[in-house]
Amino acid sequence: MEDDGGREDGAPNTIEHLHEIIGDETAPEEVCDYLLYQWEEAGITARAYTDEMHTVSILTRGEGQRPAEAPMDVLRWLFARFHTVRALGPHGYVRLRRPLGGGL
């Protein structure tokens, strides 16, 4: 895997705290509160919901809903901060295994 995620240490370029209301604002079906991590150079976005902060999900990129392939420096950064790292693929989320060695 390449090391071209975000900054040199694998940290995301941006982290945003977002809040979305799904449905009618007076009677919402669901309220989503999450942190959005973005690695612009790698074209990767990850999301961690505040009610499940031990898990982060790497979202798909490109056509065909293929699983995002995160560079090793990005994976190191995520595994250092989250217990569970998942990637969204064509059939839903798949839990990634912590690689052996490699500083993780």
Side-chain angles (χ1 to χ4, degrees), residues 9-76:
D9 62 357
N13 299 102
T14 61
I15 301 173
E16 294 180 76
H17 180 203
L18 299 171
H19 185 82
E20 294 179 23
I21 297 174
I22 299 172
D24 185 351
E25 286 192 24
T26 58
E29 295 174 32
E30 187 176 357
V31 177
C32 297
D33 194 32
Y34 58 93
L35 296 174
L36 184 69
Y37 302 88
Q38 294 181 312
W39 291 265
E40 294 170 13
E41 292 85 0
I44 294 173
T45 301
R47 191 180 280 195
Y49 290 92
T50 58
D51 63 344
E52 196 177 355
M53 284 302 296
H54 64 280
T55 300
V56 67
S57 301
I58 302 170
L59 306 178
T60 57
R61 60 186 174 142
E63 295 185 29
Q65 295 295 298
R66 62 189 164 90
E69 293 180 17
M72 188 57 72
D73 61 338
V74 171
L75 290 175
R76 279 189 198 103

